[in-house]
Amino acid sequence: EVQLVESGGGLVQPGGSLRLSCAVSGFTFSDHYMDWVRQAPGKGLEWLGRTRNKVKSYTTEYAASVKGRFTISREDSKNLLFLQMNSLKTEDTAVYYCVRATSDTTGFYYFQSWGQGTLVSVSS
Amino acid sequence: DIQMTQSPSSLSASVGDRVTITCQASQDITNHLAWFQQKPGKAPKSLIYAASSLQSGVPSKFSGSGSGTHFTLTITNLQPEDFATYYCQHYHNYPLTLGGGTKVEIK
């Protein structure tokens, strides 16, 4: 069974940092691209960024709203995905989801499986 | 950036109804379009990818169509468990962007 379990959320002050983790099981983690998506309270879903797999040299992509502040990394040997969040703002308050992405027949990667999410609250 | 516009933003329907949700992309995304379902307090669930391909385990009451810039999600024989918010998302280039969501409520 595919499982993605986020952890590391909590309350942090503006300007602070937090590192989220996503532990995965039930599939070959190293083969997949992985994404982070968030949802502010009462709002829609927002894509944050992606890490590609080893074949693609673990290269990353980011949304403009978090580029330069957030960093996505992974540790394939431990089936772990990370989201390092720095310079946090009150508007970063949201539930953060890790997402497994997989390739369609055209070689483009779509969201396949979601974690349950972890809540990050940025407040003084 | 590609903008994804969903309509309507909400709709009311009865059990047994057939509903259609529309998603418009601001530029051609071929068929790189996915749909998700989200129930209150829960993580999203992937329903469809490549505009019309069902994710594993998703019932055939859900169907997607379209290409280019215009896409639809259709749900037939609406059941209580289908009342949720539905999102479309393109994965054609970066940044990946999602529509604002369509809330399907019980009439």
Side-chain angles (χ1 to χ4, degrees):
Chain A
E1 179 192 5
V2 171
Q3 286 197 320
L4 300 92
V5 180
E6 301 92 338
S7 61
L11 177 63
V12 60
Q13 291 188 335
S17 297
L18 207 58
R19 189 197 201 198
L20 305 184
S21 300
C22 174
V24 313
S25 60
F27 64 96
T28 305
F29 178 60
S30 58
D31 286 347
H32 287 266
Y33 291 15
M34 296 294 296
D35 294 77
W36 286 96
V37 174
R38 71 182 177 186
Q39 186 169 38
K43 303 297 184 182
L45 300 166
E46 179 189 13
W47 174 77
L48 301 178
R50 165 172 286 176
T51 174
R52 297 180 179 87
N53 56 19
K54 183 177 181 180
V55 170
K56 294 295 186 181
S57 303
Y58 302 123
T59 50
T60 53
E61 304 285 347
Y62 295 96
S65 60
V66 303
K67 193 170 185 178
R69 298 190 300 127
F70 290 11
T71 301
I72 298 173
S73 61
R74 60 193 294 167
E75 194 166 347
D76 286 358
S77 62
K78 295 184 178 180
N79 284 1
L80 289 171
L81 175 72
F82 302 103
L83 179 66
Q84 177 67 43
M85 304 185 293
N86 299 331
S87 304
L88 282 162
K89 308 173 183 180
T90 55
E91 52 263 42
D92 294 318
T93 293
V95 175
Y96 285 71
Y97 298 100
C98 65
V99 186
R100 176 178 74 156
T102 199
S103 173
D104 68 12
T105 57
T106 65
F108 284 70
Y109 281 74
Y110 63 93
F111 295 171
Q112 188 175 36
S113 310
W114 298 69
Q116 86 289 348
T118 188
L119 176 63
V120 173
S121 296
V122 185
S123 174
S124 54
Chain B
D1 298 2
I2 298 173
Q3 308 303 315
M4 306 300 292
T5 304
Q6 283 184 238
S7 60
S9 56
S10 65
L11 65 89
S12 295
S14 300
V15 172
D17 281 356
R18 176 179 184 269
V19 300
T20 297
I21 299 167
T22 296
C23 180
Q24 187 93 12
S26 62
Q27 63 189 74
D28 187 350
I29 59 170
T30 65
N31 70 333
H32 298 136
L33 190 283
W35 290 97
F36 312 107
Q37 174 195 65
Q38 186 178 34
K39 298 179 182 180
K42 300 295 185 181
K45 174 186 175 183
S46 295
L47 297 177
I48 286 172
Y49 67 97
S52 60
S53 297
L54 284 181
Q55 293 266 9
S56 175
V58 174
S60 58
K61 64 186 308 179
F62 295 95
S63 63
S65 66
S67 66
T69 62
H70 187 81
F71 303 87
T72 60
L73 172 69
T74 299
I75 312 169
T76 57
N77 188 23
L78 208 60
Q79 293 299 304
E81 61 268 24
D82 302 326
F83 291 93
T85 299
Y86 293 85
Y87 295 91
C88 65
Q89 176 237 344
H90 88 82
Y91 55 95
H92 187 66
N93 59 17
Y94 299 102
L96 310 184
T97 54
L98 295 98
T102 296
K103 188 173 184 179
V104 177
E105 298 175 299
I106 300 175
K107 184 182 289 183

